[in-house]
Amino acid sequence: MRPIRLPEPPIGRRSAAEVFEAGIYGIIKRVVVIGNGFSGAENQCIGLVRALGLSGCLTLYRVTRPRGGINKWLHWLPVSLHKKLDYVIRQICIYSGVQVEARWVPKMAPFYVEEVFDLSFFVPPPPKKKIKIHMRTTGLSSVIEADAKQIAMMARDTFEKEGPLLVIASGRDTISVASSIKRLATENVFLVQIQHPRSRLNRFDLVITPQHDYYPLTPHGQRQIPWFLRRWITPRRPPARHVVLTVGALHPADSAALRSAASVWHDELAPLARPLLVVNIGGPTSSCQYGADLAKQLIAMLQNVLWSCGSIRISFSRRTPEKVSKILLKEFSSNPKVYIWDGEGPNPHMGHLAWADAFVITADSVSMLSEACTTGKPVYVIGAERCTWKLADFQKSLRERGAVRPFTGKEDISESWSYTPLNDTAGAASQVMKALAARGWPIDA
């Protein structure tokens, strides 16, 4: 098993005096990321690693679920049981002569280009140079799996020479693997879990999670839970000292990444008529449901503000329903002011963040809203009134900060407004460094 290594331009190292001062406690100079194959979760880890200055020392492993077919109804199972059941189903299908296909990376995923992951999306390469990793997409056998025992053994065996290992994981499916690594190499590993693990937080050295994960504890949240279920809804208590609360999601769209993206996308985006309005469309979730009705509403609103825009660029995510994308494509495909990215070619997302003058974003995506609100540019939200539960609390927190406004279709996009940009990733990185320093493990950066 050969892990993916994400390259990064070299950064300054500690002086010999600082290294000596760290003494026998060790210095963090390597990090393992445990991902789940979804860009929304893995980007949070990558963003934190970048903020810590450790991108050049990163190794990425994955915990992957079977996807496609009946698997979409089995995602609630523990990942280990899900894989065993998928194997049994495949054997039955093979025996029965039924052809099975499991493409684990959707075509509309941000990093997906045919059978290539273009990692320049979050680790911008020098101009005219691409960093690519070729991966087959026809089964789980080609996926680089995270093995807790192997990673823990590596952390123990190389501790004296390489120092302690920082492990960062994100997503429900990574919890068991990440916590097992910590249990097997307690004295050699510092474990950060991103997104709320829901139980037994003492398994982790640090937990980084949005504050809306604690919405069930609020009076409004309690009223939405039947009384007989309240004791089972987690989290059940205020966050402990080793829990870091953020407003939104962590991400790799820091100032350095945006400067690089501005350069990479200059020739395509700089000549566009201003102001440039970027429209990011996610997909419905259990807490924010919509379909063709929202697409039609968005069309009417965009038509109303078109006069105040120099250009509009629309992009879909892997979660965008086909019926939504088709409606927008039919309406705007012939409009000279509007460009729609259909998933073919390089993903312009980072370029859009760098060059946009304003954003319109569907309310379902915490990640896209968090990234856009980091830029300090006007962010308009469509569909927030459809959000419920924790997602509604997240929308409320953004409005109270003045970071977003509802999209009504009556806006003049040329008029700008400002707010204090979100700085969750840098803030979380600061807390990680503080916790590492308290353990005597400074970062070699």
Side-chain angles (χ1 to χ4, degrees):
M1 180 173 64
R2 299 178 60 189
I4 303 173
R5 292 196 177 276
L6 304 182
E8 174 83 349
I11 54 180
R13 297 290 182 182
R14 286 177 168 268
S15 67
E18 290 174 309
V19 172
F20 179 77
E21 186 179 351
I24 62 172
Y25 295 103
I27 296 175
I28 296 288
K29 49 188 177 182
R30 54 184 178 155
V31 55
V32 160
V33 164
I34 310 295
N36 60 1
F38 287 96
S39 59
E42 292 184 359
N43 270 354
Q44 297 201 59
C45 298
I46 300 300
L48 182 59
V49 171
R50 285 180 60 88
L52 293 170
L54 290 170
S55 294
C57 315
L58 186 153
T59 304
L60 174 65
Y61 295 87
R62 284 198 173 101
V63 178
T64 54
R65 277 186 182 270
R67 302 186 192 174
I70 195 174
N71 289 303
K72 64 182 178 181
W73 288 288
L74 302 176
H75 63 87
W76 53 271
L77 290 172
V79 65
S80 57
L81 179 59
H82 188 177
K83 287 182 178 180
K84 291 176 182 177
L85 184 58
D86 177 72
Y87 175 78
V88 172
I89 294 173
R90 286 175 177 278
Q91 294 305 307
I92 294 173
C93 290
I94 291 172
Y95 182 78
S96 305
V98 178
Q99 186 175 2
V100 180
E101 180 183 9
R103 293 178 62 186
W104 68 280
V105 180
K107 190 172 184 180
M108 292 299 288
F111 306 156
Y112 182 76
V113 182
E114 295 302 324
E115 292 188 347
V116 174
F117 271 102
D118 187 348
L119 300 179
S120 62
F121 177 76
F122 51 82
V123 183
K128 299 182 179 179
K129 180 181 178 182
K130 289 186 177 180
I131 304 167
K132 294 185 178 180
I133 295 176
H134 295 255
M135 301 181 71
R136 297 182 184 276
T137 59
T138 54
L140 292 175
S141 60
S142 58
V143 177
I144 301 171
E145 281 291 316
D147 186 311
K149 291 182 179 179
Q150 185 185 46
I151 296 172
M153 184 183 299
M154 178 266 292
R156 292 194 306 266
D157 292 347
T158 60
F159 181 74
E160 290 189 8
K161 182 179 180 180
E162 299 291 336
L165 178 67
L166 175 60
V167 176
I168 302 176
S170 180
R172 176 170 63 96
D173 288 343
T174 69
I175 291 172
S176 61
V177 171
S179 58
S180 294
I181 294 171
K182 177 65 180 178
R183 176 175 52 82
L184 295 170
T186 305
E187 302 301 321
N188 315 104
V189 166
F190 189 94
L191 175 58
V192 177
Q193 185 73 35
I194 301 175
Q195 297 181 343
H196 207 290
R198 298 302 174 203
S199 64
R200 295 188 292 149
L201 270 61
N202 59 348
R203 293 175 290 172
F204 313 95
D205 293 300
L206 210 62
V207 172
I208 301 174
T209 188
Q211 60 190 18
H212 58 257
D213 267 343
Y214 284 86
Y215 176 70
L217 294 179
T218 66
H220 291 93
Q222 287 289 299
R223 285 197 291 270
Q224 295 182 51
I225 307 171
W227 67 267
F228 59 89
L229 292 178
R230 288 177 187 172
R231 63 170 296 186
W232 305 106
I233 300 295
T234 55
R236 286 182 289 227
R237 59 181 65 87
R241 286 194 303 173
H242 74 306
V243 176
V244 176
L245 296 183
T246 62
V247 176
L250 308 188
H251 55 80
D254 55 27
S255 57
L258 293 181
R259 283 195 300 270
S260 178
S263 175
V264 171
W265 288 91
H266 177 274
D267 291 348
E268 182 170 341
L269 301 182
L272 296 179
R274 318 299 290 194
L276 169 59
L277 176 64
V278 167
V279 181
N280 290 330
I281 302 171
T285 67
S286 59
S287 299
C288 191
Q289 298 185 6
Y290 61 84
D293 55 336
L294 187 70
K296 294 174 182 177
Q297 179 186 355
L298 177 59
I299 286 173
M301 291 178 174
L302 289 177
Q303 293 283 17
N304 286 341
V305 302
L306 198 59
W307 66 271
S308 66
C309 300
S311 309
I312 296 178
R313 287 179 68 98
I314 302 174
S315 62
F316 307 118
S317 78
R318 62 176 179 80
R319 296 186 297 106
T320 306
E322 187 176 3
K323 59 184 177 182
V324 171
S325 58
K326 279 186 174 180
I327 291 173
L328 287 157
L329 282 165
K330 181 179 180 181
E331 179 67 28
F332 291 114
S333 58
S334 59
N335 192 309
K337 270 192 172 184
V338 182
Y339 169 84
I340 300 178
W341 182 66
D342 59 1
E344 298 296 330
N347 190 328
H349 180 65
M350 290 293 285
H352 286 171
L353 288 173
W355 284 100
D357 294 299
F359 302 90
V360 170
I361 301 176
T362 53
D364 58 273
S365 180
V366 175
S367 296
M368 289 193 296
L369 284 168
S370 299
E371 290 171 338
C373 289
T374 301
T375 67
K377 301 172 184 178
V379 179
Y380 298 99
V381 180
I382 182 169
E385 70 282 357
R386 301 164 186 253
C387 294
T388 60
W389 196 232
K390 296 187 299 181
L391 206 51
D393 192 56
F394 171 63
Q395 296 293 338
K396 179 183 176 183
S397 69
L398 292 183
R399 289 195 301 271
E400 289 177 345
R401 294 174 63 93
V404 303
R405 294 180 182 180
F407 187 49
T408 64
K410 300 176 182 178
E411 291 79 9
D412 180 350
I413 301 303
S414 64
E415 293 182 358
S416 185
W417 42 276
S418 61
Y419 53 91
T420 302
L422 294 188
N423 201 24
D424 284 332
T425 308
S430 176
Q431 293 299 314
V432 172
M433 288 189 282
K434 187 181 297 184
L436 286 168
R439 189 161 174 177
W441 290 353
I443 290 179
D444 183 20

